[in-house]
Amino acid sequence: MTGRNAVCLTVADRHAFAEDGVLCLRNALSANEVDLLRAAVDRQIASLGSSSTGYDFEAIAHQVWGGDSMVETGSADRFDMERLKDMIRADPFSRPLQETVGTGQTGLFFYDVAAWRHDRGVRQVAFDSALPQIVSQLLEARYLNFWEDTTFVKAPQTRQRTAFHQDLSYFQIEGDQCVVVWMPLDPADLANGVTQYVRGSHRWDEIFAPNVFVSQTPIATSADSRCPDIEAAQERYDVISFDVMPGDVIIHHVRTVHGAGGNPSDRWRRAMSFRYCGDKVRYFDRPGAISQVGVAHDLKNGDRLFSADYPVVWPRPWPGFRMADAFDAQICLQKGSQASTA
Ligand SMILES: O=C(O)CCC(=O)C(=O)O
């Protein structure tokens, strides 16, 4: 695995993305970049129970469908899980989205966000790998803001599927010049729950409400419509997937409907995804969008995403410029000036 330095997407790449709403690129990240992400994800998993942002959706699904006990999330307080449980139970169409695994086995569907804020390795890959250039070419963007990272891990013997959904309604943005880059950190295929995409769904003329991943139940505050029940009739849709290795990346359009299986296999399926927005995207405090962790901006609807919360990662001011270094230097300066004024 070599990773890419200078990047030029082929006409076929651009055509596939425009037609399918998803593109798999081989060897886009180097072995070192994959290792940086793996280390970050392993740290996030080790903090499960004590972090305020990391959740095990496998355990939550068990509690939602299993009994009447309170949903236990350790220190994680980003979501009101009791409210989500009530929403799921009140939804006449909800049902467990779980695979069968070996008896007595308990897996882990780990979910966390915003590692870039505390993990330099994640910043290095998100800002300074080949990804910003690749994405700017795909989106024909004059500049690119980094929106956020999300971690999705399915340990061996995880039952829980990731309900099919469309990402746009989860984000506080207006406009669809935005992609999600899904990066496998283990070999991934259908047997261990690689992501699956409804080909061409980015051209469907609808925005679908966010769901809660363990069920197709839409978030109640969203004004958008319910995502079609892809799981019930997957054969009626053109659902595609890619067998991928660490270093490969799968880039999907923010409107592309996608989901994932559980992981009934004996192999891990760790993955992180990065979200990037182009220059045409504007801030929009969308009803039902999932609140972001750590944001401090005071952007108003219609504003460009110019804020330290959404670093501009493309173009680079000169070749070899390291955005992660500039970011760290800025943080140091801020800390220094806070200390000197204290
Ligand atoms: O990895 C998964 O299970 C789901 C990934 C996903 O939905 C995303 O990256 O937007």
Side-chain angles (χ1 to χ4, degrees):
M1 185 193 317
T2 52
R4 299 185 184 205
N5 293 322
V7 182
C8 200
L9 292 178
T10 64
V11 172
D13 290 334
R14 289 164 191 262
H15 183 73
F17 182 75
E19 284 300 303
D20 300 343
V22 58
L23 173 70
C24 178
L25 291 177
R26 306 290 174 185
N27 293 322
L29 299 179
S30 69
N32 181 48
E33 288 164 342
V34 170
D35 283 346
L36 290 172
L37 298 185
R38 279 192 187 131
V41 167
D42 291 349
R43 277 192 286 274
Q44 286 180 308
I45 296 176
S47 305
L48 180 63
S50 59
S51 108
S52 60
T53 54
Y55 287 90
D56 176 8
F57 279 128
E58 177 84 344
I60 288 166
H62 186 66
Q63 293 169 58
V64 165
W65 307 114
D68 288 329
S69 60
M70 297 279 288
V71 177
E72 178 51 57
T73 61
S75 306
D77 57 4
R78 186 169 175 224
F79 302 117
D80 180 346
M81 280 299 170
E82 284 306 307
R83 221 179 118 243
L84 289 185
K85 186 171 80 176
D86 291 345
M87 262 168 35
I88 293 171
R89 290 192 171 170
D91 173 11
F93 303 104
S94 69
R95 61 182 190 277
L97 298 173
Q98 293 165 346
E99 323 255 3
T100 308
V101 300
T103 46
Q105 300 282 1
T106 48
L108 166 74
F109 176 4
F110 179 76
Y111 168 87
D112 206 344
V113 290
W116 75 275
R117 291 186 175 277
H118 51 81
D119 198 303
R120 193 190 190 284
V122 174
R123 287 199 286 279
Q124 209 172 307
V125 183
F127 301 172
D128 295 322
S129 67
L131 294 177
Q133 189 182 8
I134 291 173
V135 170
S136 70
Q137 287 181 19
L138 267 188
L139 290 177
E140 297 180 0
R142 288 192 301 123
Y143 65 83
L144 216 60
N145 297 95
F146 180 69
W147 179 258
E148 200 174 50
D149 60 83
T150 307
T151 297
F152 295 94
V153 171
K154 297 201 176 177
Q157 308 295 334
T158 297
R159 289 161 299 183
Q160 189 57 46
R161 299 174 61 95
T162 311
F164 274 87
H165 62 280
Q166 182 193 54
D167 288 333
L168 178 56
S169 57
Y170 290 75
F171 305 160
Q172 289 80 355
I173 61 171
E174 177 93 77
D176 62 4
Q177 195 192 29
C178 171
V179 294
V180 174
V181 182
W182 193 86
M183 298 160 291
L185 305 177
D186 298 294
D189 49 42
L190 284 176
N192 67 343
V194 77
T195 38
Q196 297 169 266
Y197 304 86
V198 183
R199 197 199 314 251
S201 52
H202 64 307
R203 288 185 270 115
W204 292 355
D205 197 18
E206 236 177 326
I207 299 179
F208 300 118
N211 65 37
V212 296
F213 289 146
V214 298
S215 158
Q216 299 150 323
T217 304
I219 301 279
T221 47
S222 173
D224 298 313
S225 48
R226 188 184 183 105
C227 188
D229 189 349
I230 312 283
E231 282 89 355
Q234 208 158 307
E235 67 291 346
R236 290 223 306 265
Y237 295 90
D238 187 4
V239 176
I240 59 171
S241 67
F242 307 88
D243 292 355
V244 281
M245 297 297 287
D248 299 343
V249 301
I250 307 175
I251 307 179
H252 71 261
H253 189 274
V254 72
R255 279 174 175 261
T256 303
V257 174
H258 60 287
N263 179 10
S265 82
D266 292 324
R267 295 178 286 135
W268 280 80
R269 195 226 70 173
R270 291 170 293 177
M272 192 176 264
S273 65
F274 290 160
R275 292 105 207 281
Y276 295 98
C277 298
D279 56 282
K280 296 193 181 72
V281 166
R282 297 290 180 272
Y283 187 77
F284 171 47
D285 202 1
R286 184 184 292 278
I290 310 294
S291 61
Q292 283 190 286
V293 170
V295 290
H297 65 72
D298 53 6
L299 297 179
K300 295 181 298 304
N301 288 350
D303 285 350
R304 290 178 187 270
L305 303 179
F306 288 156
S307 153
D309 290 319
Y310 309 119
V312 174
V313 293
W314 192 262
R316 294 188 178 125
W318 57 83
F321 176 84
R322 294 265 161 212
M323 175 66 190
D325 292 343
F327 188 90
D328 291 358
Q330 169 75 11
I331 299 285
C332 277
L333 278 176
Q334 276 169 357
K335 284 191 180 147
S337 72
Q338 274 161 12
S340 63
T341 53

